[in-house]
Amino acid sequence: MKSKFVIINGEEYCLKQMTTETINDFTILFNATKKQKVSPEYFLRKFSNCPSAEFYFGFLLYKEKMAVAHCGAIPIVSVMNGENIIIGHVGDTVTHANFQNKSLNKFLTNHLIEFCSQKNIDFLFRFPNKVNSAIVKDKYNWIQCGNLVTISVKMQSLLLFKILTKLKFIDFYETLFKVFLRTFYKETFNPDYIEYKDKLIIPRNINYLKYKKYNNSYCLEFTNKLYIWVKIDDGLVIGDTNAKNDDEASLIVNKIKTLCFWGGLHKCKFVFSSEHPAYKLFKGFGVVETGNPIMVKPIKEKSLYEHVILNGSDQNTF
């Protein structure tokens, strides 16, 4: 589908699928709505390198040649019990301020669900904020299956880096930190990291982990086959680890403290699902806050969402 005209509450809009040709229009909409300055190149990396054979499943509504609303999902292909399972991570849902309360998001969400049902998607998931989660649950019939939980851990770093951060030399210290990471820590996609009992943990998918590098996310091996999935975001966000006991959790925290000190990072948060096995291991190391709800929308009649633990370190928490 390239484009078609649709009627929503008596008004005509043009519906287009997200492609490389519409990324500029989406970027303008996103920046205007979110008050940010994200480049089209960033979204091109995000949408055109999805961890499956498919391009990003996204749809835009236009009014008089201007993009006014968007909803889409990143397809993630993983394996459960020897069978492929495709999951869609919904994100970057935006509606222009002048087009709020016109049912545009509801239309796009329903269209996305219908589209995904034709693409063999098992279920969709998203991390809406607490305000939007009530709408997603009550109006759109999504199911809450836990919450993201943040654990803030105080870090010490060299004074020089604190000064650079306060002076907003963020790009400089992120570049320096990446060099530091690759010098002292092994970036890995070792299959040993993937398995966890009878449940599937997202993002424990090799293609997905490689894909997430577009937004400064890395999978690192610390020692003794201990792994962490991190994102650099004016600090360090840890979104997953395979620590299995208290000793391994303590080892990881101590390694991270050393990493942050010499790498110049003064903030660190663990972001886990409340269902994640690591949550109980790490909650004693910092200040715990309940974050965004985890919402799912089953697409298949016999969806496997109850056998999946969903995580997301790409929360911009700082």
Side-chain angles (χ1 to χ4, degrees):
M1 182 200 81
K2 289 188 176 180
S3 65
K4 68 176 183 179
F5 288 97
V6 296
I7 303 296
I8 306 171
N9 287 346
E11 292 191 52
E12 186 178 72
Y13 298 87
C14 182
L15 175 67
K16 294 185 180 181
Q17 190 167 348
M18 178 71 79
T19 66
T20 54
E21 297 175 357
T22 58
I23 281 179
N24 282 340
D25 297 337
F26 168 75
T27 304
I28 293 171
L29 168 64
F30 182 90
N31 287 334
T33 305
K34 301 290 187 179
K35 309 299 182 187
Q36 296 188 28
K37 294 181 179 179
V38 183
S39 70
E41 289 74 25
Y42 171 85
F43 287 117
L44 184 62
R45 293 194 302 272
K46 182 173 185 176
F47 295 153
S48 63
N49 296 299
C50 289
S52 76
E54 295 282 355
F55 191 80
Y56 176 79
F57 300 151
F59 297 93
L60 288 158
L61 284 172
Y62 284 75
K63 187 70 171 178
E64 297 177 356
K65 298 184 179 180
M66 181 179 77
V68 296
H70 166 267
C71 182
I74 297 166
I76 306 167
V77 180
S78 199
V79 178
M80 179 180 288
N81 299 325
E83 300 279 338
N84 277 355
I85 176 175
I86 308 176
I87 303 166
H89 183 184
V90 176
D92 298 322
T93 300
V94 291
T95 302
H96 193 283
N98 295 338
F99 291 84
Q100 300 282 343
N101 302 316
K102 292 180 178 287
S103 299
L104 302 191
N105 180 258
K106 182 177 182 180
F107 173 88
L108 286 175
T109 300
N110 288 336
H111 184 77
L112 175 66
I113 290 170
E114 181 181 351
F115 180 86
C116 288
S117 68
Q118 300 169 8
K119 291 288 186 178
N120 200 33
I121 307 296
D122 191 281
F123 67 89
L124 298 173
F125 74 96
R126 66 198 303 178
F127 307 122
N129 60 41
K130 294 178 182 178
V131 175
N132 289 335
S133 65
I135 299 173
V136 170
K137 184 177 182 179
D138 297 336
K139 289 189 176 181
Y140 300 162
N141 297 317
W142 287 55
I143 301 167
Q144 183 171 349
C145 59
N147 286 82
L148 291 178
V149 182
T150 64
I151 306 167
S152 301
V153 183
K154 186 175 284 189
M155 295 289 156
Q156 297 292 330
S157 64
L158 293 173
L159 179 61
L160 169 63
F161 293 110
K162 288 185 179 180
I163 294 172
L164 289 174
T165 303
K166 288 184 178 180
L167 292 175
K168 303 302 181 184
F169 290 132
I170 304 299
D171 291 340
F172 171 77
Y173 101 94
E174 281 190 356
T175 301
L176 192 66
F177 182 68
K178 290 175 191 176
V179 173
F180 178 80
L181 270 183
R182 293 182 179 182
T183 303
F184 294 98
Y185 295 93
K186 177 184 176 183
E187 189 175 1
T188 182
F189 303 101
N190 193 320
D192 292 342
Y193 163 57
I194 304 300
E195 299 298 329
Y196 173 68
K197 295 182 181 179
D198 59 340
K199 287 199 173 186
L200 178 69
I201 295 181
I202 297 297
R204 295 192 187 178
N205 172 281
I206 293 174
N207 289 331
Y208 187 60
L209 290 168
K210 289 179 179 179
Y211 158 73
K212 290 298 287 186
K213 290 173 66 175
Y214 79 84
N215 71 342
N216 289 336
S217 292
Y218 303 90
C219 185
L220 305 176
E221 181 176 358
F222 267 14
T223 184
N224 299 329
K225 292 190 175 180
L226 288 178
Y227 305 99
I228 60 170
W229 181 51
V230 304
K231 181 187 176 185
I232 306 169
D233 174 40
D234 187 20
L236 203 64
V237 185
I238 292 89
D240 190 26
T241 172
N242 67 333
K244 301 178 185 67
N245 54 54
D246 292 336
D247 289 341
E248 290 181 349
S250 295
L251 178 60
I252 284 177
V253 170
N254 289 331
K255 286 279 188 180
I256 288 172
K257 287 182 177 180
T258 302
L259 171 65
C260 288
F261 180 81
W262 293 108
L265 297 178
H266 62 290
K267 299 176 182 177
C268 177
K269 280 191 178 182
F270 293 85
V271 181
F272 296 132
S273 160
S274 53
E275 306 301 315
H276 196 292
Y279 167 59
K280 293 180 181 179
L281 296 178
F282 287 89
K283 65 181 182 179
F285 288 100
V287 179
V288 178
E289 296 178 52
T290 301
N292 292 356
I294 302 170
M295 310 295 291
V296 301
K297 180 67 175 180
I299 304 296
K300 290 186 174 180
E301 184 176 351
K302 295 183 179 179
S303 173
L304 297 173
Y305 75 90
E306 292 180 328
H307 301 281
V308 180
I309 296 174
L310 301 163
N311 242 40
S313 83
D314 46 345
Q315 305 292 302
N316 296 322
T317 49
F318 301 118

